[in-house]
Amino acid sequence: MGAVTIDVAVDTPDQPRVWMVAPDADLPDGLSWSALTGAGFTGAAGTVHVVAAETPLVLAGTGATPTLDDWRDAAGLGSRAASPHTDLAVRLPDDVTADVVRAVVEGTLLARYRYDALRAQAQGHRITRLTVVTGAAHDETAAAAGLGVASAGATALARDLANSPHNHLTAARFARIAVDLGAEVGLEVEVWEQQRCRDERLGGLLAINAGSDEEARFVRLRYVPSGAPTGRLALVGKGIMYDSGGIGLKPNNDSHAQMKNDMSGAAAVLAAMLALPATGGTAEVVGYLMCTDNMPSATAAALGDVARGRSGRTIEIVNTDAEGRVVMSDAFTLAVEDGVDAIVDIATLTGSVARAFGSLLSGITGSDDELVATLTAAANASGERVAPVPLEHRYRPQLSSPVADLRNLGPAGQPDGIISALFLHEFTEGLPWAHLDIAGTAWSTVDAGWQTPGCTGVGARTLLVAAGGFTA
Ligand code: BES
Ligand code: ZN
Ligand code: MN
């Protein structure tokens, strides 16, 4: 996100200001509701009013009984209306809660995000200084604002990584970024290069990498809290740097168009874990990033090939485009070997879930109701909504193969959002597990509120909340 200076104050008259206002709320000096309603602004959610003044002043309507999502959206709208100012004060009511402070800071910062890494001239006007103005308790407000900066920063990093084109972000470079950024905040980072992946029998990862000129990378990140850990959680991220479909090439340009972001799961895991030290996560968290592209060539995995993964089980690759579950299965086995208490994975896994739930809802499922509920609550608190996918075990026979222990895809017409999850479930060895399928939500065409077009960075905030407070 770049550095953001956060202040908390009771009043800052000399900064450009965004006032978050419900209908009939207190107004800045010189304004009245009768004049504003006359001008068409009532404080309704989704509306803003720009007051012409020497120091820019924006009123952002929250509606009468705003939800957390309403607060974040309103903050995003207000922040946009105050652009290009990068030094802002946001005025909140005195009875504001910590969750609202956090959501408003997130919305304010994320609304200004642009992917500018490859432009000569930046288009985004990222906030550099933000003053939260409220009469609410100073220390609580400052702490909540700090969380907001950390979580918005995590999302912005995940967006940057996912937006990076394939020719700018190879698996090897992704691993180097993890090493460099991890060192800055004190995470342990371990990278397995190609030969080590072979030595360690990561047969799923290597089968998908077989067609590529770029080497695969396995990255393991570890966050250790300062006190006794409240639990040990594994976060597994799908890191397909580009998904061409493999030798069974995707059929048209439209189906290729977003596939640079097929590493959005790995980006979310990395971004969330980098924020754990600053936000004081209480659990030990181990991240597993499975990085490779999925390319067609004479050396690529062919249809019907059988790979043997780290678990020792064999996988018949009946479709080279169902690659995510194959690379992730090795990570599940590593997590089990590491003795974690639970596994959470995140992946742009299936068109099935994207078609079922669209761009506003990720699919969530898993083997443990409590863990799924924890993830769901974290997602809702983060504005990253989820919808349940049933883990219907009666579909399990669809994964049986005539030649191997498993096949990587059910027969045509079967519900792949469910079947892909059943495939991953095979590798959990009974550990509590929750699964986020973000195929539909990792990309946005919306350019409004705190959402920006292109890669969304979805999952980074959810994982930060859920992993930081994980309790075994
Ligand atoms: N990465 C894709 C899933 C995806 C689809 C993500 C659309 C974002 C948008 C995954 O690897 C994939 O290719 N899935 C295919 C599998 C199928 C051909 C067996 C799918 O779901 O269409
Ligand atoms: Zn994919
Ligand atoms: Mn694919």
Side-chain angles (χ1 to χ4, degrees):
M1 199 84 213
V4 183
T5 304
I6 280 272
D7 301 305
V8 176
V10 178
D11 196 20
T12 53
D14 60 343
Q15 265 170 301
R17 286 164 296 163
V18 176
W19 276 58
M20 310 288 297
V21 289
D24 297 323
D26 287 350
L27 290 169
D29 288 347
L31 293 178
S32 72
W33 278 112
S34 59
L36 287 171
T37 48
F41 179 75
T42 63
T47 63
V48 289
H49 180 77
V50 179
V51 180
E54 214 168 285
T55 308
L57 172 60
V58 172
L59 305 182
T62 63
T65 51
T67 63
L68 218 45
D69 284 346
D70 291 333
W71 283 106
R72 194 182 290 99
D73 288 344
L77 282 174
S79 178
R80 282 169 184 261
S83 191
H85 294 281
T86 57
D87 175 347
L88 275 193
V90 175
R91 168 64 150 78
L92 294 169
D94 293 342
D95 61 357
V96 80
T97 65
D99 282 349
V100 169
V101 171
R102 176 179 183 161
V104 164
V105 170
E106 288 172 356
T108 304
L109 301 181
L110 287 173
R112 301 294 193 91
Y113 173 86
R114 283 292 179 275
Y115 179 61
D116 280 329
L118 303 176
R119 296 181 201 281
Q121 196 71 52
Q123 290 188 343
H125 302 282
R126 294 198 190 190
I127 305 284
T128 54
R129 180 172 165 233
L130 182 61
T131 305
V132 178
V133 184
T134 176
H138 180 279
D139 291 357
E140 282 80 353
T141 303
L147 290 178
V149 171
S151 80
T155 299
L157 174 63
R159 286 180 183 178
D160 273 345
L161 291 167
N163 276 317
S164 297
H166 168 246
N167 67 326
H168 287 263
L169 189 63
T170 61
R173 182 157 151 68
F174 191 88
R176 269 202 309 280
I177 290 172
V179 168
D180 292 347
L181 297 182
E184 280 178 22
V185 300
L187 298 183
E188 289 171 32
V189 187
E190 180 185 1
V191 176
W192 291 358
E193 303 191 345
Q194 190 87 356
Q195 186 56 48
R196 181 80 191 269
C197 292
R198 270 189 222 110
D199 296 345
E200 300 280 358
R201 306 180 318 284
L202 302 190
L205 180 68
L206 292 174
I208 300 307
N209 176 255
S212 180
D213 282 349
E214 294 289 342
E215 292 193 353
R217 290 289 184 271
F218 163 66
V219 182
R220 179 162 34 205
L221 306 150
R222 190 186 305 272
Y223 166 73
V224 182
S226 48
T230 52
R232 297 187 75 205
L233 179 67
L235 297 180
V236 174
K238 171 176 173 180
I240 299 296
M241 312 312 296
Y242 185 80
D243 181 11
S244 74
I247 202 86
L249 200 60
K250 287 182 181 292
N252 53 50
N253 287 352
D254 281 351
S255 54
H256 279 259
Q258 299 169 17
M259 288 302 136
K260 69 173 182 181
N261 83 353
D262 212 19
M263 32 56 72
S264 294
V269 170
L270 173 60
M273 287 195 65
L274 288 168
L276 286 172
T279 53
T282 58
E284 179 174 342
V285 183
V286 190
Y288 303 80
L289 315 181
M290 307 308 285
C291 302
T292 176
D293 39 25
N294 182 25
M295 289 302 203
S297 81
T299 58
L303 278 65
D305 276 5
V306 173
R308 186 186 297 277
R310 170 93 179 176
S311 73
R313 257 164 299 171
T314 53
I315 302 165
E316 182 189 5
I317 300 175
V318 298
N319 190 317
T320 60
D321 202 5
E323 82 296 341
R325 63 202 74 174
V326 178
V327 303
M328 291 168 77
S329 64
D330 284 337
F332 279 52
T333 303
L334 288 164
V336 169
E337 291 170 9
D338 286 345
V340 299
D341 297 316
I343 300 175
V344 170
D345 81 86
I346 179 165
T348 45
L349 202 63
T350 68
S352 171
V353 162
R355 282 188 297 277
F357 298 141
S359 61
L360 297 179
L361 295 167
S362 302
I364 188 164
T365 190
S367 61
D368 185 90
D369 291 346
E370 207 179 313
L371 188 61
V372 169
T374 300
L375 262 288
T376 301
N380 289 339
S382 304
E384 299 181 325
R385 296 268 158 188
V386 294
V389 172
L391 192 67
E392 177 53 69
H393 292 278
R394 285 178 298 167
Y395 289 118
R396 172 62 183 80
Q398 314 279 356
L399 286 171
S400 64
S401 159
V403 295
D405 295 327
L406 282 169
R407 50 189 258 161
N408 72 331
L409 185 69
Q414 294 299 319
D416 192 42
I418 297 172
I419 290 176
S420 58
L422 289 171
F423 179 93
L424 291 173
H425 181 240
E426 288 295 309
F427 297 88
T428 60
E429 306 297 349
L431 283 183
W433 161 68
H435 164 66
L436 287 165
D437 188 333
I438 57 169
T441 50
W443 185 276
S444 171
T445 53
V446 174
D447 190 4
W450 56 272
Q451 286 155 308
T452 54
C455 301
T456 60
V458 66
R461 297 197 303 286
T462 297
L463 294 181
L464 176 57
V465 172
F470 173 74
T471 306

